[in-house]
């Protein structure tokens, strides 16, 4: 019996290894390499990396020029991949955080090679890169889909406050802390609830106030709102970058009694004394007492990208905003999408969904003809702004902060329940079942956009 059990375990192990053996690559030459963030951030490969790798493979197959298994390599040393938009739902008590995480290897199909390492340097002039182990990988085309970096230490006292259960400080911007948000919301009985947003680039610029609206609604539904003062402190000059939606949100803020403090940037936290310090636009300092403090940390480009030859002066991969191809002609086989790119649009999963088929089409065209196709990305992005339980304002816009709405007949300036269920129910299912497999095209659902 013991021998049989050992054999069963052995064969189960071999079967598991066989399932993923082709994804663990040993070659040093690939047609296409897709770079993720690896262990440099908590986010692993950005949402776009898995999606675009699969879309590229399918695009060659659709053209009758199928790639061989292993021709496309994903370089990423992370153990897990996360559905980060779900962390707002976790912080709102609507989803368990375990539902927002899966092992990265389980999401990479056998047709894609997986190199579980991190990138150290790029050598685009030689179409190669070097990993942190010293391994050199060469490619015909490179896609950088590494996401961005969350700078937790950019706010003095924040890292220490997040691990202190009694600090009252939490954030939806990490798998490790998103459930603490819900715990802090549920345990608060009275006092001051502060929600912050930094100046500059953040993932989904609407998320800092989404969790505020959900907390406020929760306080009202549990008869605590009259004892809790809710305030929004933002480093930005308005509630939102697009005026149409900003006006609606500011009106909601005033109607619901939420304090608005604009151009206030959180710079330090004294968790022992529950005091937050903000720097105002004129350089003056404001100390504010809090009972609960939700923090959106400052963000920026990844350290391993900074200073590399493929980034601009700010540290973002320098790409044409329409074609998503590198701006330098000598790096024409380099592409990027998502948060790590210089595309001047809001950094959201929806932007990635819109970018992936454009990048795929242009990369395919470059590899086949030497030049990009007519496919262009117009900057489309979306921010599904939760404004309470059962309601959501769906902000959609493109380059120039110009609204580009999918449901114009529904008046998207008004929150409604239908949009709420898209965020709560449809989008998470579509992400895990379709997007990471390259089969989800946002407002076009499962139908791949066509390019003339």
């Amino acid at each position: 019996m013991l021998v049989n059990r050992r054999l069963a375990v052995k064969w189960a192990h071999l079967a598991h290894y066989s399932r993923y053996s082709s994804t663990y690559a040993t070659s040093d030459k690939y047609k296409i390499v897709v770079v993720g963030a690896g262990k440099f951030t908590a986010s692993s490969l950005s949402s776009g990396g898995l999606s675009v790798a699969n879309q590229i493979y399918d695009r060659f197959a659709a053209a009758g020029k199928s790639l061989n298994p292993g021709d496309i390599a994903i370089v990423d040393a992370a153990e897990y991949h996360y559905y980060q938009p779900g962390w707002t739902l976790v912080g709102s008590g609507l989803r368990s955080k375990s539902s927002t995480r899966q092992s990265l290897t389980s999401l990479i199909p056998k047709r894609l090679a997986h190199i579980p390492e991190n990138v150290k340097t790029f050598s685009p002039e030689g179409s190669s890169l070097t990993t942190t182990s010293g391994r050199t990988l060469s490619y015909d085309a490179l896609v950088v889909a590494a996401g961005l970096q969350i700078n937790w230490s950019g706010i003095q006292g924040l890292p220490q406050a997040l691990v202190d259960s009694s600090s009252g400080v939490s954030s939806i911007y990490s798998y490790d802390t998103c459930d603490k948000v819900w715990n802090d919301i549920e345990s608060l009985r009275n006092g001051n609830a502060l929600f912050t947003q930094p100046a500059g680039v953040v993932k989904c610029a609407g998320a800092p106030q989404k969790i505020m609206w959900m907390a406020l609604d929760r306080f009202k539904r549990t008869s605590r709102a009259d004892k809790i003062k809710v305030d929004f402190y933002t480093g930005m000059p308005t509630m939102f970058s697009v005026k149409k939606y900003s006006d609606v949100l500011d009106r909601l803020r005033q109607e619901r009694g939420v304090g608005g403090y604009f151009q206030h940037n959180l710079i330090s936290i004294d968790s022992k004394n529950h005091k937050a310090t903000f720097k105002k636009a004129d350089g003056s300092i404001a100390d504010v007492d809090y009972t609960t403090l939700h923090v959106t940390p400052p963000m920026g480009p990844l350290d391993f990208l900074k200073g590399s030859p493929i980034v601009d002066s700010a540290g973002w991969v320098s790409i044409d905003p329409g074609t998503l191809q590198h701006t330098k002609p000598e790096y024409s086989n380099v592409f990027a999408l998502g948060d790590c790119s210089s595309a001047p649009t809001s950094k959201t999963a929806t932007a990635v969904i819109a970018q992936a088929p454009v990048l795929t089409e242009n990369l395919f065209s470059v590899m086949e003809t030497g030049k990009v196709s007519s496919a262009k990305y117009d900057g489309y992005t979306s921010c599904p702004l939760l404004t309470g339980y059962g309601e959501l304002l769906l902000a959609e816009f493109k380059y120039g902060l110009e609204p580009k709405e999918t449901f114009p007949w529904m008046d998207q300036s008004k929150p409604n329940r239908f949009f709420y269920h898209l965020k709560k129910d449809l989008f998470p299912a579509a992400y895990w079942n379709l997007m990471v497999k390259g089969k989800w095209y946002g407002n076009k659902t499962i139908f791949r956009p066509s390019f003339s």
Side-chain angles (χ1 to χ4, degrees), residues 311-376:
V311 302
D312 61 19
S313 59
W316 307 110
V317 182
S318 184
I319 57 167
D320 180 279
T323 66
L324 310 181
Q325 182 186 41
H326 203 279
T327 53
K328 291 186 176 181
E330 60 269 35
Y331 302 161
S332 62
N333 62 339
V334 176
F335 295 81
L337 80 167
D339 296 353
C340 70
S341 82
S342 64
T345 192
S346 185
K347 297 182 182 297
T348 68
T350 312
V352 167
I353 293 170
Q355 292 166 10
V358 172
L359 186 153
T360 296
E361 192 66 20
N362 284 323
L363 182 148
F364 172 79
S365 182
V366 166
M367 293 188 71
E368 290 296 306
T369 71
K371 57 184 181 180
V372 296
S373 72
S374 61
K376 291 287 193 297

Side-chain angles (χ1 to χ4, degrees), residues 209-227:
Q209 62 181 289
K210 292 178 191 178
I211 193 62
M212 176 189 74
W213 296 122
M214 298 301 280
L216 177 64
D217 196 18
R218 181 63 179 170
F219 297 151
K220 290 179 178 178
R221 290 169 182 261
T222 52
S223 303
R224 291 178 283 160
D226 59 339
K227 298 178 181 178

